[in-house]
Amino acid sequence: MSTNTTIRPGTDRPASMAAGPWVGDNKKTPFPRLRAPGRRRSVPYLLLGVLLVLACVGGFVLILLHSGDREPVLALARGVPVGHVLSTQDLRQVTVAVDPGVAVVGADQAGTLIGRPMATSLSEGALLTPDAVGAAVVPAGGQAIAALALKPGQVPTEVGPGARVSVVFVSGQTATASSPPDEDGTVWPAVVTSVTGSPSEQTTVVSVQLTEAAARQVAAVPAGQVSIVMLSAGGGR
């Protein structure tokens, strides 16, 4: 049995197979182009990364702007009382952000302060102002300064210039429960202006600022019959 196969002129394949692919044909059969997987999902992550970079840059710029407002100024390296003559050891340089209108002393003016007296008592770390150096500004109007000669146990070791204290009258006789000491006229609020003394001395002299009337009363108390109670910065009487 024979099969009739018609061969088209100029071709080597049968006519019935002309439409299909032929093994060995140099022509490549085109395939549909596939999209890269995950390409559409990567766009939000790219935008998120750009926003994160912009946020970091913005934060860095803000830090630079704020740091530009900081300037070197002078502060006290230790507490000093009113009248104390400043020396190099009393000063240190700090860098702080200063609001406009706040009076401070620049670090480059340290040489102009050496040898000058303090106009008021300041504690360690306090920023120096132009008014803090020069002629004494204490006592203020209606105030007076009294000196107390105190023995060990009558003044806390933590007391220093600027501390808020109560000067308490201590009677020579021991109080009993039936006759407690009356606080009226025996407790005076004050602010310490200076403390002098040494471990070898048995007496510590504490100068306090209080009202003129209270200062006269404290000065009239016999030596050894007053003690000092240190108060918190915002404490009361």
Side-chain angles (χ1 to χ4, degrees):
M1 182 176 180
S2 61
T3 303
N4 295 327
T5 303
T6 304
I7 305 298
R8 292 182 178 179
T11 63
D12 296 333
R13 67 182 70 174
S16 60
M17 301 179 62
W22 185 257
V23 178
D25 193 353
N26 293 330
K27 295 182 180 180
K28 296 182 179 180
T29 304
F31 292 95
R33 181 176 296 180
L34 299 179
R35 289 185 178 179
R39 189 172 182 179
R40 182 174 299 176
R41 293 182 179 180
S42 63
V43 175
Y45 292 101
L46 179 60
L47 293 177
L48 181 61
V50 172
L51 293 177
L52 182 60
V53 171
L54 292 177
C56 294
V57 172
F60 182 71
V61 171
L62 289 177
I63 293 175
L64 287 179
L65 291 177
H66 285 290
S67 62
D69 296 335
R70 300 171 67 87
E71 58 182 276
V73 298
L74 290 177
L76 288 176
R78 54 189 177 186
V80 294
V82 58
H84 174 81
V85 178
L86 290 174
S87 64
T88 305
Q89 291 74 20
D90 297 324
L91 305 176
R92 66 186 180 96
Q93 177 179 319
V94 296
T95 304
V96 297
V98 181
D99 292 334
V102 177
V104 293
V105 180
D108 57 345
Q109 302 180 32
T112 64
L113 301 183
I114 303 302
R116 297 185 61 187
M118 288 292 297
T120 185
S121 299
L122 292 177
S123 58
E124 178 181 352
L127 297 181
L128 281 176
T129 63
D131 295 337
V133 182
V137 294
V138 292
Q143 299 285 302
I145 294 179
L148 309 176
L150 304 174
K151 298 179 180 180
Q154 293 181 324
V155 54
T157 57
E158 295 81 4
V159 167
R164 296 183 66 258
V165 298
S166 285
V167 180
V168 182
F169 171 73
V170 181
S171 175
Q173 299 179 353
T174 304
T176 61
S178 58
S179 58
D182 184 7
E183 286 194 1
D184 293 337
T186 61
V187 178
W188 302 275
V191 176
V192 176
T193 58
S194 67
V195 179
T196 58
S198 63
S200 60
E201 299 176 354
Q202 296 298 317
T203 302
T204 301
V205 178
V206 180
S207 296
V208 294
Q209 177 176 297
L210 59 176
T211 64
E212 292 181 356
R216 288 191 288 267
Q217 293 174 357
V218 169
V221 176
Q225 294 190 13
V226 291
S227 294
I228 282 184
V229 176
M230 186 174 181
L231 306 177
S232 64
R237 181 175 173 179

